[in-house]
Amino acid sequence: MAGGPVHLTLIDPDKSPGAAAARTAKGAVEAGSHLILLGGSTGITPQVMGAAATAVKGAVRVPVVIFPEGPDSLAREADAVLFMSLLNSRRLDLVVRAHALAAPLVRHLGLEPIPLGYLVVAPGMRVGEVGEVDVIRRDDTNGAVGFALAAEYLGMRFLYLEAGSGAPAPVPAPLVKAVREVVSIPLIVGGGIRNASDAAALLDAGADALVTGTITEEEGLGAAFRGILEEVRHRRAR
Ligand code: 1GP
């Protein structure tokens, strides 16, 4: 992407409501994160999402984007929403039908929809289970490439490779590299990124954006988080 890779901080407004979300966002942006994603829990209400978005927007000047769990997680106080198809789900609603129900609400709320293909790689964690996903095996580069190219050919603007929140290891770098070699849309990679060496391997494989969530929930904005940001920052400065 122009200017080099970016980092996205995922904050769960159920675990970090309102002012807590704003504190995390402020610290993350001060450390160099480029965008705040709000989401992560099932059953979030528009009120909780709206309060978090308002608080975060009051604290930082970066885009605030909803990582949706369904129409109930949408709130007009955010800037945009990942308008994402769960490409390898067995649930038709998560591939496209929920989108037909949510689209008029996205329009009504004035949220910018960001067209995105969401591809879950093993282990997949909770999203793999709840989303009834046929996860991409960690060595199945051909499978990942097929979905990635299909997403691009369908006109999706971004591809998100997800190992699942809290995954013991991120999406394998060779899989990211194989996808990078064939698609031209930006690659977002998340799930299980815990330290600078995870970040370095994924960035060197061609990730355009890294998403972290669990690390700030469990370890705060300490050395590991800053190490990840440092890997992103020095690739931008090159
Ligand atoms: C989840 O990819 C994100 O959708 C972030 O994952 O919580 O493991 O950082 P972690």
Side-chain angles (χ1 to χ4, degrees):
M1 276 195 294
V6 296
H7 178 270
L8 284 50
T9 300
L10 174 64
I11 300 173
D12 182 344
D14 255 348
K15 294 181 187 156
S16 304
R23 268 195 306 280
T24 300
K26 188 162 188 294
V29 170
E30 282 170 2
S33 192
H34 299 88
L35 183 148
I36 302 299
L37 283 174
L38 292 178
S41 273
T42 42
I44 198 161
T45 65
Q47 290 72 26
V48 169
M49 181 60 81
T54 299
V56 169
K57 285 187 71 68
V60 296
R61 291 181 179 277
V62 300
V64 176
V65 179
I66 296 172
F67 189 142
E69 289 288 341
D72 286 344
S73 59
L74 301 179
R76 67 173 75 247
E77 292 84 353
D79 298 309
V81 56
L82 299 183
F83 204 77
M84 57 209 287
S85 170
L86 182 40
L87 300 171
N88 50 339
S89 175
R90 296 184 297 278
R91 283 177 52 182
L92 183 56
D93 59 328
L94 298 182
V95 180
V96 67
R97 292 203 167 181
H99 312 65
L101 299 175
L105 181 59
V106 168
R107 183 169 187 270
H108 173 72
L109 296 174
L111 291 166
E112 179 190 354
I114 299 174
L116 178 146
Y118 190 47
L119 187 62
V120 179
V121 176
M125 310 304 283
R126 191 165 155 71
V127 69
E129 286 171 27
V130 176
E132 295 177 32
V133 173
D134 290 330
V135 290
I136 298 288
R137 287 195 330 269
R138 294 176 67 78
D139 62 355
D140 185 11
T141 50
N142 288 340
V145 163
F147 275 106
L149 268 181
E152 178 164 329
Y153 293 170
L154 284 164
M156 294 171 184
R157 299 265 312 282
F158 297 87
L159 182 75
Y160 190 144
L161 294 171
E162 169 75 270
S165 186
V171 173
L175 190 147
V176 173
K177 187 162 185 284
V179 170
R180 173 74 292 159
E181 279 168 4
V182 298
V183 302
S184 51
I185 54 176
L187 288 185
I188 303 168
V189 181
I193 301 171
R194 291 302 187 101
N195 54 50
S197 74
D198 290 342
L202 295 168
L203 293 167
D204 289 344
D208 297 287
L210 300 183
V211 182
T212 65
T214 299
I215 191 169
T216 43
E217 280 166 16
E218 292 187 354
E219 303 173 34
L221 303 163
F225 182 78
R226 287 171 193 280
I228 292 166
L229 268 292
E230 185 58 23
E231 294 297 329
V232 172
R233 194 194 60 75
H234 83 243
R235 283 170 179 75
R236 291 179 65 80
R238 272 177 193 169

